[in-house]
Each structure stands twice: as structure tokens, then as C-alpha cells.
Amino acid sequence: MSDQPILEVKEVTKTFGGILALNRVSFHVNEGEILGIIGPNGSGKTTLINCITAFIKMTSGKVLFRGKDISGKPAHKIADMGVTRTFQIMRPYYSLPAYKNLVIPLYSPRAKRTGGWRGGGKLGDRNTVGIDILEEIGFERDSFVPYKMASTLPTGYLKRLELARCLALKPEIILCDEVFSGLSMSEIASMVPLIERLQMDGIALVMIEHRLRELFRVARRIMVLNFGEKLIEGIPEEVMADEKVKEAYFGSAEEIEEDMSHA
Amino acid sequence: MEQRRKERIDRGIKVRTDGLYAVMSWRELSYLTMPRMVLIVGLLILPFVMPSMYWQRVISIVCIYALLAVSFDLLAHFVGLVSLGGALFIGVGGYLSAIMNTSFGFPPLLAIPIATIAGAGICTLLLLPCLPLRGVYFAIVSLMYPLAMRRVIEALDILGGTDGIMGIDSFPNRWIEQYFVILMVLLFLFGVRRLVNLDLGLVLRAVKDNDQAVRASGMSITFYKAVAVFISSAMGCLGGACIVHIYMWSGMSLFALDFSILPIAATVIGGAGTLVGPVLGCLILVPVSELLREFGTLRIVFYSLILVGFIVFRSEGIMVYGQRKYHQIERWVKV
């Protein structure tokens, strides 16, 4: 059982009209592993997460979660199985205080089923459970931050709130869409241990990132996407040394020379 | 030039009554309960202070519009579905109660609850196809049904055709009639106010705020929208069921668009998203439209002028304005 990957993506293809956004992308995530996905802008990283979690329909391909085919299921069913995601552009409930934001995921069928959150579940008070989760994710419990309206929170807290929404569901795997982007160096520095702790709790993570140095601290396996195609997969050092990856990020050597001659 | 701005500060008593300490003194307790008591007591004594039977009847109609307005406010400002289906709810509830009463012989006080629940189920099923969609589709579809129903009844000559269903039992007497609708308004008004702050209500508000995040939380948006439509159409169907027993007649005019439009106007006047506001709006608009009845079709003009005036000068609505004055001190300060 343990050698079976928790998430297996097989030849996922997505076309928007005539544009090939994802071309037969395949990869897998092992139990409790952190997989980093990197690639230049527009390479299809977010589209890949959207396809896996059914927020957009994939054109063809298969997604297996613990060996079960989840492609074609609606988004809320997939989240219900424990495959959760964060959004790159944060999607909190702006009109509610931060801790009330967590009442909604805690009300979901999955949270009711998995219960377990210290007095949570069927008869528990979701407000207290919500504040507990916020504390775990780095909101200062005794400050007024958890009680502030989500619309007044800074980006750093909203990114945490995104993760907290996933945690409220007791996820088996979290697909993180750029949790480090838009954060200051010190905020990222405090996020990294958080990610490490999630991994120690046995949650598998897929992380889309542009902040490579921080990503390489937590992820030991990296996949590179370019123009919707998988370029390479491997350990960070190996991947960054690859010629194709350099070309995708910086353009090919000939192109650079050409640009230089124009300048 | 000296510049000034308006400063708003919470009244001391407002701050003191925010917490548990409110129960420490009568002054603070009455500050909290007074506005609610004014509404409840005011509505309950209304039938006594009305000068004639005609005006007592107007009170019943006010209450039916109030139910519709609360249902509109719930859907539009807490779930994000703009509903033009007031006429649909009234029509379905009304015809169901009429059939239940004339064909099966149920007394009004039994036919009304059945028509409320069954009607809400039917309305939810009718509106279900457009619930997964975002945008104006819900408004369009909910507006289309009452228009279509009128034509269907007319063309197929079903449900009494253009004559309507006659010989419907009335309420046992007019006091029961009035207090029944008034109590229903109070019940649903405070019930809905409670609902939107429950965990279920938070989920409904979340659907309005950010439906994608609700999906990502493992919940079906369509299901929760359907729950909200059920609750809201139940209020409308209840109103419709009452109206046929008040008029002892059920006809095509139950699908009239007044039932869709007036609650929206009342919500604008009363204050959107306050739930109490729409009830106040109905208390103003319906009697005004009765007073203007003498002017014939010209009353629409007066009516429109009032609406335009409110939208231009007090677009926040009476209730929001009133709440601000009640809770806050306003003063001009130098910048």
C-alpha cells in the first residue's frame, strides 16, 4: 500500500480553443512527499492544479487519488476526498472575520466526518475550532488578528488563511498555488517551518512556486513545466543544471547572443 | 479654505451593550431591546388602531408583501441570488392552497402549511436548473416563470382558467386572519435574522462572498443555493397561501409582477441587507400605494417619484440610516 503514490496524474491535456495549455503531463506524488512545480509564466502550472481539482474540466487524461480515478468528479467531491487546494489569488470571505472564515470548511461534510478537531465535529463549537486552526497556522491567538475582518488582513495572513481552509478539511494532500508569492522575506522565513510541519503531519504537498530558493529548502523533487509540457523531473540541483530548464527560463544561448547584438 | 469632515463615534451605551455586561442595568437592557419591542408591539397593535375594515385588510396585504421582501432580501443580500420570482412564489403557494381547500376540503389553517412546504419544494425544483450558473440567469428565469404560468393557465384553461378558483374558505374570522399573518412575519423575520448568523447562514453568505472557495471547501454550491431558495420560496408561498384565503379567490393575478417588483422597491427604501428594513419599506409603500389609489393610474407616477427620491437622496435605506443615528454620534471636525 505504501509504495502506491497518493496522487497520480496521467497524460493530462487541456486546450483552450486552439491553444494547448497542457500537453500530456504526467507525474505522481508519493505519500507524505513535497513535490515542487516550477516553470516560467504561462507554462500551465495553475491550469494543472485547476484540472486536477476539477475547477476547470480537462480535455483528456486521468487523475488517480490512491488508485481511484477522480477525473470527471465535481470539484466539491474531490475536495471532499481530501484533495484540497489553495488559490494563487486569495479567496477568503471578505465580509467575515478571519476565524469565521473557517466555520465554512468546518461545516463541510468532510470536516463533520473526520471530526477529531478537539471538541469539533458534530456537536463542537466551530468558532473555537477555527481559532485553534488559525493559531496552528500562525495567527497570534491572543491578539485581535483572528477577529479582524478578512478584508483588512494583509497578504501574509490571507495566504495563511488559504492554508487554514485546507487544514480545516483534514486534507490528505494540499495543492498549493504560490503560497510564497507576494510575501516579504521574513514572512516567507516563518512560512517555511509551517510547510515542514505539515509534511511531518503526513500531509503530501504539491507546491507551485517562483521563489526557488525557499522551495528547494522544503521540496526534494522538482518538476519543470514549459509551454504546457513537462521538461524534466528530479532533485533541485539536477533540475537547475539542466540546459532545457535554463533555456526555458533565460532563453537559449543563441537568442541571448542575438539580443545582445541588437542592443 | 477650512476643511471639515464628519466624524462618527459609537455612543457609549452602544459600546457598553456589546458584551455580556449589557444585562447589568435596565438602561442598557432597554437600549438593546427597545428597537425590537417597538417593531413587535407596533405590529401587534396595528389591527386595533386601524380605522376601518378596509385598512385592516391593508395590514394583511402589508404583511404578505413583507414576507416577500424578507425573502428577497435573504436571497439577494445573503446568498447573492437576485430573485424576481416573488410572483412565482405567491402564485404557486396560492394555487396549491386553493386546490387543497376546494378539492380536498382541507381547512385554511391546514392547507396553508401544506401549500407552504409543497410550494417551496415545487419552486425550488423549477429554479434548480439555473442554480449552478452565476450572474443574471437566476433573475431572468425567476421572472420568466410567472409570465409563462399566466399564459399557460389562460391557454390551457386549467386551474379555473381566466375566472380563477372561487369558493375558497376564508380564515375563521378577520382577527385570526390578521394575527396569523402578523405572527408569520415576525416569526420569519426573526428566524431569518437568526439563520444568517448560524453556521448554515455563514455558509450561505460565503456562497455570495466567494463561491469558488466554498467549492474548494468540499461543499456543493448548488445544494446550498437550493436550501436558500427553499427557505425563501417557503416565505413567498406562505404569503400566497394566505392571500387566497383572505380574498377567497385564486386567479391569474396571483402571478402579477407587482409581487416581484414591490418587495424590491421596499428593500431599497428600507435598507438592503438589514432584513428589518424591507418590512419597514412595505409598511410605508403598501399604504402609500393604497392612499394614491384615488389618483388612478397616475399613482404610478407618485410612486416612482418616491422611489427615485429615496434612491437619489437616501440610497442606504431608512434602516441603515436609523441604525447609524441610534448607535453613533455624528459631528463635524476640522481636518
Side-chain angles (χ1 to χ4, degrees):
Chain A
M1 193 62 197
S2 59
D3 56 335
Q4 188 193 25
I6 183 166
L7 189 76
E8 218 177 336
V9 175
K10 285 183 178 167
E11 310 229 310
V12 165
T13 302
K14 175 71 197 175
T15 54
F16 292 111
I19 298 163
L20 198 56
L22 287 175
N23 189 10
R24 297 154 69 89
V25 176
S26 304
F27 68 94
H28 69 275
V29 187
N30 293 321
E31 202 85 44
E33 185 195 28
I34 299 183
L35 171 73
I37 299 181
I38 63 173
N41 291 333
S43 57
K45 304 181 297 295
T46 300
T47 308
L48 183 59
I49 284 198
N50 279 339
C51 283
I52 294 170
T53 52
F55 275 77
I56 55 178
K57 277 202 183 87
M58 62 182 102
T59 312
S60 67
K62 243 185 186 181
V63 179
L64 303 179
F65 172 65
R66 293 198 190 286
K68 247 186 288 172
D69 190 1
I70 59 168
S71 38
K73 287 196 173 181
H76 66 271
K77 281 270 164 26
I78 291 176
D80 191 62
M81 293 174 80
V83 184
T84 58
R85 65 166 298 179
T86 71
F87 292 97
Q88 180 181 6
I89 300 152
M90 295 80 74
R91 291 178 175 278
Y93 310 114
Y94 284 110
S95 60
L96 297 177
Y99 76 103
K100 288 276 188 196
N101 266 263
L102 291 183
V103 168
I104 288 103
L106 286 172
Y107 195 81
S108 69
R110 180 176 174 86
K112 283 177 184 168
R113 211 166 50 232
T114 50
W117 291 104
R118 274 160 291 158
K122 211 171 182 184
L123 297 169
D125 181 3
R126 296 192 178 85
N127 297 335
T128 16
V129 182
I131 292 178
D132 286 348
I133 297 172
L134 283 182
E135 191 186 19
E136 275 174 48
I137 208 83
F139 281 62
E140 297 79 2
R141 187 190 192 94
D142 295 327
S143 72
F144 49 85
V145 186
Y147 306 95
K148 272 173 88 168
M149 283 289 170
S151 53
T152 63
L153 288 176
T155 313
Y157 282 110
L158 289 180
K159 292 276 181 190
R160 285 161 197 268
L161 199 54
E162 283 284 315
L163 271 178
R165 189 188 59 226
C166 295
L167 285 188
L169 293 172
K170 288 218 145 187
E172 309 210 17
I173 179 166
I174 305 180
L175 309 169
C176 304
D177 200 347
E178 299 201 13
V179 281
F180 292 155
S181 70
L183 300 189
S184 69
M185 293 313 284
S186 62
E187 279 173 323
I188 293 178
S190 64
M191 278 289 255
V192 169
L194 201 74
I195 302 286
E196 283 167 346
R197 224 192 51 224
L198 292 182
Q199 189 187 20
M200 289 210 290
D201 287 344
I203 300 170
L205 285 121
V206 175
M207 297 185 69
I208 289 182
E209 272 314 325
H210 281 303
R211 307 298 288 259
L212 300 186
R213 191 178 303 160
E214 289 78 16
L215 178 66
F216 294 163
R217 274 182 61 189
V218 289
R220 291 316 298 163
R221 201 152 62 85
I222 303 292
M223 179 174 105
V224 186
L225 280 182
N226 190 30
F227 291 117
E229 286 188 44
K230 180 171 157 181
L231 279 189
I232 189 176
E233 187 187 310
I235 61 167
E237 294 78 10
E238 202 176 280
V239 164
M240 290 320 282
D242 191 86
E243 279 304 317
K244 280 188 291 183
V245 177
K246 283 184 185 164
E247 201 178 300
Y249 266 91
F250 306 116
S252 64
E254 296 91 77
E255 273 172 353
I256 292 172
E257 266 165 39
E258 218 170 271
D259 285 348
M260 297 293 266
S261 62
H262 281 304
Chain B
M1 203 186 91
E2 189 182 79
Q3 278 194 320
R4 297 194 307 162
R5 71 180 172 85
K6 212 178 217 176
E7 186 184 50
R8 295 201 179 107
I9 308 169
D10 279 5
R11 287 179 200 278
I13 193 162
K14 199 255 171 192
V15 181
R16 287 202 298 282
T17 52
D18 268 351
L20 188 65
Y21 296 105
V23 296
M24 301 281 274
S25 94
W26 281 110
R27 214 170 99 80
E28 266 116 61
L29 264 184
S30 58
Y31 177 82
L32 274 184
T33 51
M34 199 49 85
R36 293 155 180 83
M37 292 318 285
V38 167
L39 178 78
I40 295 171
V41 175
L43 274 180
L44 287 179
I45 60 169
L46 263 185
F48 285 106
V49 296
M50 282 299 124
S52 63
M53 269 187 64
Y54 172 75
W55 282 100
Q56 286 184 336
R57 175 59 47 86
V58 172
I59 294 303
S60 306
I61 304 304
V62 166
C63 288
I64 281 154
Y65 276 113
L67 280 172
L68 279 177
V70 172
S71 107
F72 171 81
D73 204 23
L74 170 68
L75 273 192
H77 300 106
F78 292 93
V79 195
L81 294 169
V82 177
S83 155
L84 294 170
L88 171 71
F89 303 156
I90 288 280
V92 170
Y95 269 103
L96 270 181
S97 195
I99 293 165
M100 220 85 77
N101 183 243
T102 52
S103 304
F104 300 100
F106 291 166
L109 290 179
L110 182 63
I112 290 173
I114 297 175
T116 304
I117 304 292
I122 292 172
C123 292
T124 311
L125 279 181
L126 286 176
L127 294 169
L128 203 56
C130 59
L131 287 185
L133 304 172
R134 231 186 297 172
V136 296
Y137 304 103
F138 185 80
I140 295 172
V141 172
S142 60
L143 177 67
M144 179 212 67
Y145 275 121
L147 297 175
M149 286 305 285
R150 282 176 76 120
R151 295 287 164 261
V152 167
I153 290 172
E154 197 180 348
L156 300 182
D157 204 23
I158 48 169
L159 302 169
T162 45
D163 292 335
I165 301 173
M166 274 166 286
I168 300 168
D169 291 342
S170 68
F171 284 91
N173 64 51
R174 62 195 168 88
W175 297 105
I176 292 183
E177 167 196 315
Q178 283 169 45
Y179 278 104
F180 183 76
V181 286
I182 287 175
L183 286 176
M184 282 300 142
V185 169
L186 289 175
L187 181 79
F188 274 98
L189 172 61
F190 285 98
V192 170
R193 265 170 57 124
R194 183 78 189 269
L195 169 78
V196 295
N197 287 315
L198 288 179
D199 288 355
L200 171 63
L202 286 181
V203 175
L204 297 182
R205 283 154 71 179
V207 171
K208 184 198 176 194
D209 218 353
N210 213 324
D211 53 354
Q212 295 303 302
V214 176
R215 282 172 81 196
S217 304
M219 281 180 283
S220 159
I221 319 169
T222 312
F223 173 75
Y224 285 99
K225 280 183 181 170
V227 168
V229 169
F230 183 85
I231 295 169
S232 157
S233 54
M235 276 182 266
C237 289
L238 173 67
C242 292
I243 223 170
V244 296
H245 293 290
I246 291 171
Y247 285 137
M248 296 185 275
W249 175 76
S250 156
M252 276 168 25
S253 62
L254 287 181
F255 288 108
L257 283 186
D258 296 22
F259 292 117
S260 297
I261 305 302
L262 199 136
I264 300 178
T267 307
V268 169
I269 288 180
T274 57
L275 294 174
V276 188
V279 176
L280 287 184
C282 288
L283 275 168
I284 296 168
L285 272 189
V286 178
V288 164
S289 102
E290 289 297 325
L291 283 174
L292 295 174
R293 198 175 277 277
E294 291 162 29
F295 293 95
T297 46
L298 202 60
R299 70 184 173 139
I300 301 294
V301 177
F302 288 109
Y303 201 71
S304 315
L305 283 178
I306 295 176
L307 249 185
V308 171
F310 259 100
I311 289 172
V312 172
F313 297 109
R314 278 276 167 264
S315 56
E316 56 186 358
I318 296 170
M319 200 53 209
V320 181
Y321 178 79
Q323 274 175 341
R324 208 175 59 225
K325 291 289 173 198
Y326 192 66
H327 290 313
Q328 296 180 318
I329 306 164
E330 283 177 301
R331 61 182 180 198
W332 289 98
V333 290
K334 275 187 209 156
V335 176

